[in-house]
Amino acid sequence: MNYKNPDENGYYGEFGGAFVPEMLYPNVEELQNNYLNIIASSEFQEEFQDLLKNYVGRATPLYFAKNLSEKYQTQIYLKREDLNHTGAHKINNALGQALLAKKLGKHRIIAETGAGQHGVATATACALLGLECIVYMGEVDIARQAPNVARMKMLGATVIPATSGSKTLKDAVNEALRDWINNSTTTHYIIGSVVGPHPFPDLVARFQSVISEEIKWQLKEKIGRENPDYVMACVGGGSNAAGTFYHFVNEEDVKLIAAEAGGFGVDSGKSAATTFLGTLGVLHGSKSLVMQTEDGQVIEPHSISAGLDYPGIGPFHANLFKEKRAEFFSINDDEALKSAMELTKLEGIIPALESAHALAVLEKKKFKKDDVVVICLSGRGDKDMETYLKNL
Ligand SMILES: *Cc1c(COP(=O)(O)O)cnc(C)c1O
């Protein structure tokens, strides 16, 4: 099976597609018809690769974590996405899509954000490339994430509160979609993870695939072979995991491990572990696994990490789960906190709470002494200091 890219209708197995209101067809079709040609062009690639290198700071190191390896009696390498400009992997995608928007002749960017991380990455890319930037954010999230709101404003973005429903991410998505319908000729919608209608999951996965592209040559340099035994990443919507898995997903000798947010526990009613709790449904324009009631109402997720607090999972990952190509773990809030503290003590690296979920798999699965295990450290922990101080 080809797990890497969707078919021409945007399906990964039974998951994916483009379920949008008729008024959005022109926007989505314009993207579907143009994205592959534009990102394959040498003009786009030259500009994008130059920015990844000189602006984002790529290639990010593949760091052999000696102390962590000793503790778990295996060979652990950390892919340091935390060292990117703006502190996480999200900038890879935000820059790629902002450049794509320019090539499509759009000068206005909209985005929606929950914790504010994607909003900051998008506002950064727009400041750099001279694009107007509007970020929709739930009113409740604006209050919870004041430092990121301040960053977006300083970067020149307009932050518009979503005041309907629960005043959180899903309401911000609705506002963004409404905006896109009304401003289709001038505006591109930068979606922040491998979710949304086709072609967004594939588009975002391609922009994040630089992560596994680098892992391959870096491993070759360090250990003489391109493929590790395991790659691991946390999954919210799934973009850092898609980037980490991308160039390994069709190679049978590499095992894939995904860590979802268990919150207080999968049976607690306060969780975000979609593969454990989700059923087939349509969320944000694609068919995938969704946490929902029997009559299709989306269930509010919970995770201590804002970036994993999402009631769905991208179709790329739903397919890996269904086909048992990847192994999924559910990591609870307290387990993630413990792993964050452990990495800090052993290696002097304060990880993002999201990334700590991937690290926590080390406690749950036994690896062999000579297994090579690559873990994506998706972001740094500065943004989580308040939570760490409260809980540690
Ligand atoms: C947003 C975020 C995530 C979760 O998003 P994915 O699309 O699943 O990668 C993970 N880690 C960090 C640091 C984030 O900011």
Side-chain angles (χ1 to χ4, degrees):
M1 187 163 191
N2 173 21
Y3 295 102
K4 201 166 167 178
N5 301 117
D7 67 19
E8 69 268 29
N9 297 315
Y11 280 88
Y12 301 84
E14 65 181 290
F15 306 103
F19 296 80
V20 294
E22 212 170 307
M23 288 165 81
L24 272 180
Y25 286 180
N27 311 36
V28 169
E29 272 168 13
E30 183 186 24
L31 261 186
Q32 288 174 353
N33 293 337
N34 292 296
Y35 80 109
L36 288 175
N37 286 340
I38 291 176
I39 65 178
S41 72
S42 56
E43 191 196 329
F44 180 93
Q45 279 302 324
E46 265 167 40
E47 207 172 335
F48 187 44
Q49 296 305 330
D50 178 66
L51 287 175
L52 288 180
K53 180 171 176 210
N54 297 304
Y55 184 73
V56 177
R58 306 203 70 94
T60 60
L62 183 68
Y63 167 68
F64 176 63
K66 184 164 162 284
N67 301 328
L68 200 64
S69 296
E70 213 150 87
K71 158 108 207 254
Y72 289 101
Q73 290 295 298
T74 189
Q75 311 299 311
I76 301 168
Y77 290 83
L78 301 176
K79 183 57 174 161
R80 299 289 308 275
E81 293 301 296
D82 60 315
L83 295 177
N84 284 329
H85 178 46
T86 69
H89 66 292
K90 287 199 171 74
I91 191 75
N92 303 328
N93 168 56
L95 260 184
Q97 284 200 52
L99 262 186
L100 174 68
K102 276 195 115 164
K103 304 290 177 212
L104 284 167
K106 317 277 177 180
H107 56 78
R108 184 174 175 273
I109 296 295
I110 56 172
E112 97 293 310
T113 192
Q117 294 301 106
H118 174 57
V120 169
T122 301
T124 300
C126 289
L128 177 71
L129 298 174
L131 296 161
E132 185 186 352
C133 181
I134 317 290
V135 180
Y136 290 94
M137 193 168 179
E139 204 171 39
V140 169
D141 291 331
I142 288 181
R144 285 194 291 210
Q145 311 288 344
N148 277 340
V149 175
R151 278 183 200 112
M152 285 182 256
K153 288 186 174 161
M154 183 158 175
L155 288 160
T158 305
V159 181
I160 301 183
T163 55
S164 61
S166 56
K167 305 179 172 58
T168 58
L169 181 63
K170 69 173 170 21
D171 312 293
V173 173
N174 291 337
E175 295 293 328
L177 286 173
R178 197 164 312 150
D179 181 311
W180 207 23
I181 289 171
N182 291 331
N183 298 288
S184 61
T185 49
T186 58
T187 299
H188 175 68
Y189 179 10
I190 299 189
I191 289 184
S193 190
V194 284
V195 299
H198 175 61
F200 282 104
D202 186 45
L203 178 63
V204 177
R206 283 171 191 265
F207 287 142
Q208 293 294 358
S209 71
V210 64
I211 299 173
S212 49
E213 190 183 311
E214 288 173 5
I215 293 171
K216 272 187 170 268
W217 65 255
Q218 289 173 320
L219 267 186
K220 178 91 182 162
E221 257 180 33
K222 285 175 199 294
I223 64 168
R225 61 177 162 108
E226 288 190 335
N227 286 0
D229 298 289
Y230 292 88
V231 283
M232 304 204 313
C234 66
V235 174
S239 69
N240 87 89
T244 306
F245 295 172
Y246 196 83
H247 290 288
F248 300 116
V249 75
N250 289 335
E251 312 220 347
E252 279 168 22
D253 58 327
V254 183
K255 297 176 204 76
L256 316 175
I257 294 180
E260 288 187 296
F264 291 165
V266 285
D267 300 320
S268 66
K270 297 201 75 151
S271 179
T274 305
T275 59
F276 291 84
L277 298 168
T279 50
L280 192 64
V282 171
L283 180 67
H284 299 154
S286 71
K287 193 191 278 184
S288 192
L289 295 170
V290 183
M291 287 171 45
Q292 55 189 337
T293 60
E294 260 168 44
D295 50 357
Q297 295 294 317
V298 171
I299 295 170
E300 271 307 305
H302 165 81
S303 166
I304 193 167
S305 71
L308 303 184
D309 200 352
Y310 185 68
I313 185 175
F316 174 93
H317 296 289
N319 188 46
L320 297 183
F321 175 74
K322 164 103 193 297
E323 297 295 328
K324 300 192 165 59
R325 174 65 185 94
E327 187 178 3
F328 281 73
F329 285 85
S330 163
I331 303 297
N332 295 347
D333 291 352
D334 56 339
E335 296 168 325
L337 283 167
K338 189 163 164 257
S339 290
M341 199 62 230
E342 181 178 83
L343 185 74
T344 305
K345 284 236 166 85
L346 287 178
E347 300 285 350
I349 299 171
I350 302 177
L353 261 167
E354 291 85 358
S355 321
H357 286 71
L359 295 163
V361 173
L362 292 168
E363 283 285 340
K364 306 218 149 185
K365 189 173 174 81
K366 183 86 186 105
F367 297 97
K368 293 205 286 281
K369 180 87 187 131
D370 58 357
D371 278 341
V372 171
V373 180
V374 175
I375 304 174
C376 182
L377 206 68
S378 55
R380 57 178 175 242
D382 309 33
K383 67 184 180 57
D384 298 312
M385 284 319 295
E386 210 183 301
T387 311
Y388 285 146
L389 289 173
K390 241 188 308 200
N391 289 281
L392 297 173

